[in-house]
């Protein structure tokens, strides 16, 4: 009976990972924002920033206060914020309300990413099962990233190009269902008395350690690569090959599909191959894929390269995250909050890409992504594993 109750409590938490994937609609939806409001490429580049910049401000504070509020309550708070944001454009549709909707989606997602993973440990005590469940959650998130563009296109197909924002209330309704399911599921609250509330400055102080700083930037840039490839994939196919709105949806879908496959295979290979060896092989392959994408203009080749970036970069986040925890295991909670904060890289890199596209065309956006991968190549070959001195 205890195992059955644990399984029933796990299901709504895992469904929360589907909500976590909603932030990836910024790639395809930014195309509609740009056309609707006549924004420049540089202005459009700030759309992902509205979603991902909140990790910079909320990751550590939410992590520090989560045990005070309770993990389940923190997850429910994130979903409430997301629902409000997703319904806002229906009340008043303008460029301002759309920007606020994206911001609330990002705020909710930042809180969700900090709180949902730890909530799983409230119902799963076996470490092996917990790892498997976390992996399953990431797969569910990847599936959500695949479905996201279809939800946007569903709204466009049924309500018209000018009503693309109807995808927001669809996402809001799914989030509301997830929140109701979780709210109705009894989950024992964690013991908050065992966790001391530390000043935010104590966590940022860890960045004085060179290795932690380099790994923090590694998370920053791998998320930047992820969001950037999602952001520019459809734009690249449209600009280079005049693909239609219906055709360009395949670019981010190929990216998310190969990323999902890569993550699944990564779980298998990382159990058998040294993580640094796997990191080095994959990041070199990712670098080669981006070089081909930058300088070879063939639609099939470019689509394959977009998929290759997703495949080869899929396990890099978890490898760098693991390296950071291994470096300072006695600071695991603070390291975790710090690395989640680095997800803000997705909000910093894309405006730079938008400016680069506006100045030199789509090749500029690819080259900015290439710079991010060059830094990750340095991480793969220049940082040693093991505990810091």
């Amino acid at each position: 009976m205890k195992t059955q109750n644990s399984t029933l409590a796990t299901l709504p938490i895992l469904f929360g990972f589907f909500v976590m994937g909603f932030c990836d609609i910024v790639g395809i939806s930014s195309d509609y924002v740009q056309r609707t409001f006549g924004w420049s490429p540089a202005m459009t580049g700030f759309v992902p920033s509205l979603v991902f910049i909140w990790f910079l401000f909320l990751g550590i504070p939410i992590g520090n206060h989560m045990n005070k509020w309770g993990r389940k309550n923190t997850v429910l708070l994130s979903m409430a914020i997301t629902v409000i944001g997703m319904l806002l454009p229906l009340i008043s549709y303008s460029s301002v309300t759309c920007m606020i909707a994206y911001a609330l989606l990002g705020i909710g997602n930042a809180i969700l990413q900090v709180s949902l993973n730890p909530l799983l440990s409230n119902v799963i005590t076996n470490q092996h099962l917990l790892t498997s469940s976390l992996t399953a959650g990431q797969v569910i998130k990847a599936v959500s990233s695949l479905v996201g563009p279809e939800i946007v296109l569903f709204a466009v197909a049924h309500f018209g190009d000018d009503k693309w924002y109807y995808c927001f209330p669809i996402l809001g309704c799914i989030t509301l269902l997830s929140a109701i399911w979780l709210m109705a599921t009894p989950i024992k609250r964690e013991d908050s008395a065992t966790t001391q509330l530390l000043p935010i400055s104590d966590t940022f102080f860890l960045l004085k350690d060179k290795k932690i700083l380099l790994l923090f930037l590694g998370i920053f840039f791998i998320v930047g690569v992820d969001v950037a490839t999602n952001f520019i994939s459809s734009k690249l196919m449209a600009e280079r090959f005049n693909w239609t709105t219906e055709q360009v949806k395949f670019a981010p879908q190929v990216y998310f599909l190969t990323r999902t496959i890569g993550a699944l295979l990564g779980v298998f290979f990382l159990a058998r191959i040294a993580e640094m060896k796997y990191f080095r092989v994959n990041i070199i392959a990712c670098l080669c894929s981006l070089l081909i994408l930058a300088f070879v203009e063939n639609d099939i080749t470019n689509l394959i390269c977009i998929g290759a970036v997703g495949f080869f970069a899929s396990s890099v986040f978890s490898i760098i995250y693991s390296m950071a925890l291994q470096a300072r295991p006695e600071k695991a909670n603070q390291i975790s909050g710090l690395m989640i904060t680095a997800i803000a890289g997705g909000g910093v890199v894309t405006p730079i890409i938008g400016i680069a596209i506006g100045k030199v065309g789509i090749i500029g956006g690819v080259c900015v992504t290439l710079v991010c991968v060059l830094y990750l190549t340095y991480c793969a070959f220049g940082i040693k594993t093991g505990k810091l001195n």
Side-chain angles (χ1 to χ4, degrees):
M1 183 65 68
K2 183 177 180 181
T3 302
Q4 184 180 9
N5 291 338
S6 176
T7 302
L8 291 175
T10 302
L11 293 177
I13 299 175
L14 288 176
F15 188 70
F17 284 92
F18 192 83
V19 176
M20 193 184 291
F22 290 168
C23 61
D24 288 323
I25 68 161
V26 294
I28 189 169
S29 64
S30 64
D31 295 341
Y32 290 97
V33 171
Q34 184 174 9
R35 287 197 293 270
T36 301
F37 301 115
W39 287 357
S40 66
M43 182 65 181
T44 308
F46 280 96
V47 172
S49 297
L50 291 169
V51 175
F52 289 97
I53 197 65
W54 301 105
F55 288 92
L56 180 62
F57 302 112
L58 297 177
I60 294 173
I62 294 298
N64 283 351
H65 288 83
M66 186 163 50
N67 279 329
K68 180 180 178 181
W69 299 338
R71 292 170 183 170
K72 179 179 176 180
N73 290 335
T74 307
V75 171
L76 291 173
L77 171 65
S78 74
M79 292 182 176
I81 293 171
T82 301
V83 170
I84 293 171
M86 296 301 90
L87 296 180
L88 188 60
L90 284 183
I91 300 172
S92 174
Y93 177 60
S94 68
S95 61
V96 174
T97 53
C98 281
M99 291 171 72
I100 295 173
Y102 279 119
L104 290 176
L105 174 63
I107 291 170
N109 200 269
I111 299 173
L112 185 62
Q113 294 224 30
V114 174
S115 56
L116 193 61
N117 286 321
L119 184 60
L120 264 177
S121 64
N122 286 35
V123 296
I124 300 176
T125 55
N126 182 285
Q127 187 61 42
H128 177 70
L129 291 177
L130 179 60
T131 303
S132 299
S133 298
L134 288 171
T135 304
Q138 291 303 309
V139 173
I140 292 170
K141 179 179 181 292
V143 171
S144 175
S145 298
L146 275 171
V147 173
E150 290 297 332
I151 293 176
V152 176
L153 292 170
F154 173 84
V156 170
H158 285 76
F159 304 107
D161 278 12
D162 59 333
K163 296 292 192 300
W164 65 269
Y165 59 91
Y166 277 26
C167 67
F168 286 151
I170 296 173
L171 300 179
C173 288
I174 297 172
T175 304
L176 182 60
L177 289 174
S178 178
I180 293 172
W181 189 8
L182 181 61
M183 194 182 303
T185 305
I187 297 175
K188 184 180 178 181
R189 179 167 172 160
E190 65 282 357
D191 183 9
S192 59
T194 61
T195 303
Q196 181 183 1
L197 184 61
L198 298 172
I200 294 175
S201 58
D202 281 12
T203 302
F204 279 111
F205 184 78
L206 291 170
L207 292 176
K208 287 192 173 183
D209 193 311
K210 182 180 178 181
K211 186 172 183 180
I212 296 299
L213 175 60
L214 292 174
L215 292 171
F216 175 86
L217 292 174
I219 294 289
F220 184 93
F221 284 116
I222 187 56
V223 176
V225 170
D226 181 29
V227 178
T229 309
N230 175 27
F231 178 69
I232 69 172
S233 59
S234 57
K235 296 171 179 58
L236 182 143
M237 303 308 289
E239 181 174 315
R240 282 185 173 177
F241 312 112
N242 294 318
W243 278 23
T244 65
T245 302
E246 182 65 23
Q247 288 175 314
V248 296
K249 74 171 185 177
F250 291 111
Q253 284 181 322
V254 165
Y255 174 74
F256 288 123
L257 177 62
T258 55
R259 192 180 72 172
T260 304
I261 296 170
L264 285 170
L265 291 177
V267 173
F268 174 81
F269 285 121
L270 284 169
R272 292 159 177 80
I273 303 174
E275 61 180 16
M276 286 306 296
K277 182 178 180 180
Y278 193 73
F279 185 8
R280 289 166 182 167
V281 170
N282 278 273
I283 205 64
I284 289 297
C286 185
L287 183 63
C288 293
S289 301
L290 276 171
L291 286 170
I292 296 172
L293 184 64
F295 301 110
V296 177
E297 296 190 14
N298 175 274
D299 55 352
I300 301 300
T301 301
N302 284 183
L303 198 60
I304 291 172
C305 287
I306 289 168
V309 172
F311 183 86
F312 293 117
S314 60
S315 297
V316 173
F317 180 95
S318 59
I319 292 172
I320 295 176
Y321 191 90
S322 175
M323 288 171 65
L325 292 179
Q326 291 174 41
R328 297 294 292 271
E330 77 282 3
K331 300 284 188 180
N333 290 339
Q334 290 170 275
I335 291 291
S336 179
L338 194 61
M339 294 302 137
I340 291 296
T341 300
I343 293 177
V348 175
V349 172
T350 46
I352 298 173
I353 287 178
I355 294 170
I357 292 175
K359 295 289 185 182
V360 298
I362 199 68
I363 184 68
V366 178
C367 287
V368 173
T369 312
L370 190 60
V371 170
C372 296
V373 174
L374 285 171
Y375 176 82
L376 292 165
T377 305
Y378 166 71
C379 283
F381 290 91
I383 301 178
K384 296 181 180 179
T385 55
K387 189 175 179 178
L388 292 173
N389 296 324

